[in-house]
Amino acid sequence: MEHRNGACWLDVEGKPIQAHGGMITRFGDTWYWYGENKDAENCTRDGAPLSRVDVIGVSCYTSPDLLHWTHQGVVLSAVTDSPVHPLHPSRVLERPKVFYNAHTGKYVMWFHADSPDYTFAQAGCAVADSPAGPFRFLRTVAPNRRDCRDMTLYHDPVSGHEFLVHSGDWNKTLYFSELTEDGLGFTGRCFAQMINQEREAPALCYHNGLHYCVTSGCTGWAPNSALYATAQEVCMDMKLIDNPCEGPGYRQTFGGQSTWVLQAENRYWLMLDHWKPLDLRHSGYSLLPMDFEGERLTVRWQETFAGL
Ligand code: GAL
């Protein structure tokens, strides 16, 4: 069993996995994959497809081996009864990320909540008692009064704190906004990184004393060059180093865009979305191994992901 990188991956029922802009993490013995369910036709205007689908919600899949994925359903659903609700189908819900909060014993989800024209730009928060949900929507918020577009969650193993990492100031700067102990709000500690570098799609990991942050440039659904940055502490200036990709298509991140770093068996894998703007439900995925030589990070293209 293996999955073809760049293509649409299938679940155990043979259906395309709907977990875009997603993340994979382990709770107990089980792998969980959360992401945007885009299982609808693209919206149209005057018969022509637009590069959006209405919000359906956040899907969750589980797997024992990172290869066989079972759909657990939509664990945070769109809200259809009020057009002004942040989860209304006409709005935007992207890049959901989930972590377990040991202080409260709850599973906390953050996501990018936006209006269809991407001017609302806030972070949405939801909470659940178990990893397969259902998640209860709490609210949207502008972290530390800043805008939030592409985002992820990052557990800083040095301080033990959780951060919402989000593109802010109209995508000019990447902010590390520290979450409160319960994971549901912000402490006010916030670090501006890669100021004016216009990076998005952050995906992070910590290796050998360094934080690594892979990002894309801001060209919407179109692929561009990934770059990685490093820092010894999240409060220190991150330095942009290089494009980590090697192999055919490396200048366009192999046609993909970063969304997450999967950590499994002491290896790291860069998770990419391969967007199909006019047929978003069939967008593909890749999991590519990350190789560290000294402080240098390399991500080489592989045709398939065959598990660990
Ligand atoms: C990308 C972003 C995606 C989505 C898209 C919409 O830049 O990474 O998550 O927001 O723009 O055009």
Side-chain angles (χ1 to χ4, degrees):
M1 169 84 189
E2 56 184 26
H3 293 285
R4 208 153 59 76
N5 282 326
C8 225
W9 293 15
L10 303 181
D11 68 11
V12 289
E13 289 179 24
K15 297 185 183 144
I17 292 179
Q18 289 298 327
H20 309 277
M23 62 146 349
I24 296 174
T25 193
R26 184 158 49 192
F27 296 126
D29 290 337
T30 302
W31 293 104
Y32 286 79
W33 183 347
Y34 301 91
E36 305 157 28
N37 187 316
K38 291 191 171 305
D39 198 8
E41 300 276 320
N42 274 40
C43 301
T44 55
R45 187 183 295 141
D46 302 328
L50 301 172
S51 59
R52 71 162 272 128
V53 296
D54 281 347
V55 173
I56 295 167
V58 177
S59 274
C60 172
Y61 292 79
T62 54
S63 173
D65 57 6
L66 296 166
L67 293 172
H68 299 83
W69 291 98
T70 303
H71 195 202
Q72 301 295 333
V74 176
V75 294
L76 179 71
S77 297
V79 173
T80 51
D81 54 11
S82 160
V84 294
H85 194 286
L87 297 182
H88 190 264
S90 64
R91 297 181 65 94
V92 168
L93 188 177
E94 291 178 341
R95 297 185 178 267
K97 304 286 179 288
V98 174
F99 74 103
Y100 174 69
N101 185 282
H103 293 283
T104 60
K106 307 264 187 212
Y107 295 82
V108 179
M109 179 190 291
W110 285 91
F111 56 91
H112 171 197
D114 222 321
S115 46
D117 62 359
Y118 288 89
T119 56
F120 181 70
Q122 293 203 357
C125 184
V127 69
D129 294 326
S130 81
F135 282 80
R136 188 165 52 87
F137 172 72
L138 296 181
R139 67 187 191 293
T140 69
V141 54
N144 303 306
R145 286 186 233 99
R146 290 208 167 80
D147 53 346
C148 166
R149 290 190 171 84
D150 276 9
M151 46 66 64
T152 192
L153 291 175
Y154 182 53
H155 176 80
D156 170 11
V158 182
S159 66
H161 291 139
E162 202 78 37
F163 288 86
L164 180 79
V165 179
H166 56 103
S167 300
D169 302 345
W170 290 92
N171 286 339
K172 291 236 173 315
T173 294
L174 197 67
Y175 285 97
F176 284 60
S177 299
E178 189 184 76
L179 295 181
T180 48
E181 212 169 64
D182 64 6
L184 305 178
F186 297 93
T187 63
R189 277 181 88 224
C190 176
F191 309 112
Q193 296 286 6
M194 296 176 236
I195 296 166
N196 287 329
Q197 295 307 305
E198 302 198 357
R199 308 304 299 170
E200 64 176 9
L204 290 109
C205 66
Y206 185 75
H207 180 73
N208 254 349
L210 277 185
H211 302 280
Y212 287 80
C213 181
V214 179
T215 54
S216 75
C218 295
T219 54
W221 302 113
N224 55 54
S225 296
L227 289 176
Y228 75 98
T230 61
Q232 284 173 354
E233 293 181 41
V234 290
C235 60
M236 291 164 65
D237 281 349
M238 284 198 150
K239 200 164 95 184
L240 280 164
I241 308 289
D242 202 353
N243 180 345
C245 301
E246 260 185 23
Y250 81 98
R251 289 287 295 273
Q252 277 79 36
T253 316
F254 318 116
Q257 185 186 32
S258 43
T259 182
W260 184 249
V261 174
L262 161 67
Q263 194 179 345
E265 312 264 334
N266 287 326
R267 283 217 72 177
Y268 298 88
W269 304 79
L270 185 63
M271 190 172 175
L272 305 177
D273 292 294
H274 294 254
W275 300 113
K276 288 194 173 180
L278 298 181
D279 181 19
L280 282 162
R281 74 196 321 177
H282 291 119
S283 298
Y285 309 103
S286 301
L287 278 174
L288 299 172
M290 297 167 73
D291 292 318
F292 298 90
E293 294 136 62
E295 298 188 352
R296 210 186 146 68
L297 166 64
T298 307
V299 178
R300 294 182 181 87
W301 176 249
Q302 287 190 348
E303 292 297 330
T304 59
F305 174 74
L308 299 179

